[in-house]
């Protein structure tokens, strides 16, 4: 039997950080070639997705734009890894749809975790419609304990404006400027806002305290256990750069 030995490349291991130890086999007894069934059942990374939650207004406030950020990230990646392939997508959502920017992006790009949470939230909302207040943004209506409330257009717009800015105190002057912009609208004084709020609260009945008064400043909506916000079915649509 020959004393010549061949150095054979070791099969991949599950611990790539360990230095492989070469093994020697006799020349007249070569090892059988590895078959797919013999190889480790592992998966390797092929890339990554970076979700960025930032709308155009916030980007402009920072002195940039979404296309500018995408271009900067691409140039940085080209410098660090010239062989990397890139694809950028911007997530679009209806105006006033609310929610965290990052959640909108993840939902638009069909990230499984985001879709599962959105589905669970919708099911919960549907179960809770018979109790409390449901502000249905997509259908422009308010349900109180499952019954449709007779809100005027301006009353709904007022409630919606506060709801979509959850946790932020809105001054009376901002409400006037935002809700009375059409030429045919008679612009009210700031104190007239108080009258509209009183009417709104009267229709909310026992849930009137969901619209809070911040003395000397304006009004605010805080997250409330009795309130469900519905933004409509489906997901925002992504669009490519």
């Amino acid at each position: 039997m020959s004393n010549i030995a061949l150095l054979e490349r070791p099969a991949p291991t599950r611990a790539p950080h360990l230095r492989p130890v070469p093994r020697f086999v006799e020349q007249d007894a070569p090892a059988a070639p590895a078959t797919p069934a013999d190889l480790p059942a592992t998966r390797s990374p092929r890339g990554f997705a970076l979700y960025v939650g930032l709308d155009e207004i916030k980007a402009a406030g920072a002195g940039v734009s979404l296309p500018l950020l995408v271009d900067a990230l691409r140039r940085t990646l080209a410098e660090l890894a010239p062989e990397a392939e890139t694809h950028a997508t911007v997530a679009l959502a209806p105006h006033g749809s609310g929610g965290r920017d990052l959640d909108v992006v993840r939902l638009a790009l069909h990230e499984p975790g985001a879709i599962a949470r959105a589905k669970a939230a919708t099911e919960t909302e549907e179960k809770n419609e018979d109790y409390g207040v449901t502000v249905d943004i997509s259908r422009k209506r308010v349900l109180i304990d499952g019954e449709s409330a007779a809100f005027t257009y301006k009353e709904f717009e007022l409630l919606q404006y506060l709801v979509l800015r959850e946790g932020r105190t809105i001054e009376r002057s901002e409400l006037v400027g935002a809700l009375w912009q059409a030429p045919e609208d008679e612009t009210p004084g700031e104190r007239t806002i108080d009258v509209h709020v009183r009417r709104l609260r009267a229709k909310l009945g026992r849930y009137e305290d969901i619209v809070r008064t911040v003395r000397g400043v304006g009004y605010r909506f805080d997250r409330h256990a009795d309130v469900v916000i519905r933004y409509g079915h489906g997901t925002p649509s992504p669009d490519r750069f």
Side-chain angles (χ1 to χ4, degrees), residues 138-211:
S138 62
R139 298 181 182 179
K140 299 290 185 182
R141 64 174 184 170
V142 177
L143 302 178
I144 299 178
D145 292 334
E147 299 294 329
S148 182
F151 277 45
T152 66
Y153 174 80
K154 274 290 187 275
E155 289 165 352
F156 179 85
E157 290 292 305
L158 174 58
L159 179 60
Q160 175 182 258
Y161 195 88
L162 295 172
V163 164
L164 294 180
R165 289 152 186 83
E166 174 187 316
R168 182 163 74 87
T169 299
I170 309 299
E171 296 182 3
R172 293 176 177 85
S173 59
E174 180 178 340
L175 290 171
V176 171
L179 303 180
W180 277 268
Q181 295 180 342
E184 64 272 15
D185 283 347
E186 181 179 349
T187 303
E190 292 184 13
R191 291 301 171 187
T192 307
I193 294 294
D194 298 339
V195 176
H196 284 273
V197 171
R198 281 199 296 271
R199 292 173 180 169
L200 173 62
R201 284 174 168 161
K203 293 183 179 181
L204 289 170
R206 62 194 180 102
Y207 303 108
E208 63 177 353
D209 63 343
I210 69 174
V211 176

Side-chain angles (χ1 to χ4, degrees), residues 18 37 51 110 162 188 212 234:
L18 298 179
Y51 298 106
H110 304 286
L162 295 172
R212 297 185 55 190

